[in-house]
Amino acid sequence: MTWSEMQPLLAQACTETLVMVGWSTLIAVVGGLPLGILLVLTDKGGLLQNTAVNKVIGQIVNVGRSLPFIILMVALMDFTRWVTGTTIGSEAAIVPLAIGGIPFFARLVETAVREVDHGLVEAVQAMGGSTWTIVRKVLVPEALPSLIASTTTTVIALVGYSAMAGTVGGGGLGDLAVRYGYQRFETGLMWITVAVLAVAISLIQFAGDHAARALHRRGGRSGPSPRLRLPKAKEPAAADVGKAA
């Protein structure tokens, strides 16, 4: 197979992988962020301590993380068909990718939020801040560098999952490597696909590390940090000074 024949195949496969990973990452972040924060808030000593809720959410997340992705894809075929109308193609692959990414990202969020200094939480509580205020003004901004790093890890994992989805007709670079590189013995195309994946993952890791370091240098805050306002000492009046004299 010549390079001119490979180009359109690679372009289409890269586009399909980008669509799959992009949408699944967005859904994983939107679904995993509140789950991870809720795991911290409902844990022992948390702002919304609730052992029963924490255990239920924790078990759901653990089950979602424990299933190998290829088994998850097969198990979700009926649900995928109900959502997208098909079980083949990049659109269908987004469903299991997103569902597999949510618990993965939720655990990373939980770890990141637990690293936030509890003294800041207590300071906002002392000023009368609500739980929502603490989450929005303290937990998320302070954990932002770690959350960026967690998102980077999730994206890289989803790129690997998307390549695995190609083995069962999910499209993308994995499907290209299997159909042409393996089944048709196009070894050159297979190695080019591997190189494209390696370069993509390296660029994603570089961009994520750069963003996390930049936020870390700023103190991990997207806005001004919460400050305690202490009452000022009352200055003596001039008449009181005269009486004292």
Side-chain angles (χ1 to χ4, degrees), residues 7-245:
Q7 277 185 315
L9 295 174
L10 286 169
Q12 181 181 356
C14 288
T15 302
E16 291 174 351
T17 297
L18 182 63
V19 170
M20 286 190 292
V21 174
W23 279 106
S24 58
T25 299
L26 178 62
I27 297 171
V29 170
V30 171
L33 182 62
L35 268 183
I37 294 175
L38 198 58
L39 282 169
V40 176
L41 295 179
T42 58
D43 199 5
K44 185 177 180 180
L47 298 174
L48 301 175
Q49 180 176 333
N50 191 317
T51 305
V53 172
N54 185 266
K55 287 184 176 180
V56 170
I57 297 175
Q59 286 300 320
I60 293 174
V61 170
N62 288 339
V63 170
R65 290 185 62 198
S66 64
L67 288 175
F69 181 71
I70 192 71
I71 296 177
L72 182 65
M73 284 194 67
V74 174
L76 291 175
M77 276 189 175
D78 291 337
F79 179 72
T80 301
R81 185 181 293 108
W82 178 73
V83 173
T84 64
T86 181
T87 58
I88 299 175
S90 56
E91 292 183 1
I94 292 173
V95 176
L97 282 171
I99 293 177
I102 288 174
F104 183 87
F105 185 67
R107 281 300 184 192
L108 295 177
V109 170
E110 180 189 9
T111 302
V113 173
R114 287 190 190 279
E115 295 175 354
V116 176
D117 185 4
H118 193 65
L120 292 173
V121 176
E122 293 177 345
V124 177
Q125 279 183 309
M127 290 186 291
S130 64
T131 301
W132 170 243
T133 301
I134 292 172
V135 170
R136 188 167 56 93
K137 295 291 187 179
V138 180
L139 295 182
V140 172
E142 291 295 325
L144 198 54
S146 296
L147 291 176
I148 295 296
S150 300
T151 304
T152 304
T153 302
T154 303
V155 172
I156 292 174
L158 290 175
V159 170
Y161 289 167
S162 69
M164 197 182 304
T167 62
V168 289
L173 290 169
D175 178 59
L176 182 65
V178 171
R179 285 194 297 117
Y180 287 88
Y182 177 72
Q183 295 177 353
R184 301 187 185 183
F185 302 102
E186 295 289 347
T187 307
L189 180 58
M190 184 177 67
W191 283 113
I192 291 174
T193 303
V194 172
V196 170
L197 285 170
V199 171
I201 288 174
S202 298
L203 291 175
I204 293 168
Q205 188 67 61
F206 174 79
D209 290 345
H210 179 74
R213 283 195 297 267
L215 288 170
H216 185 71
R217 285 195 296 268
R218 291 174 53 192
R221 299 182 179 90
S222 58
S225 59
R227 297 179 181 177
L228 286 173
R229 295 183 179 180
L230 300 177
K232 295 182 179 180
K234 186 177 179 180
E235 297 181 359
D240 295 337
V241 174
K243 290 180 180 179

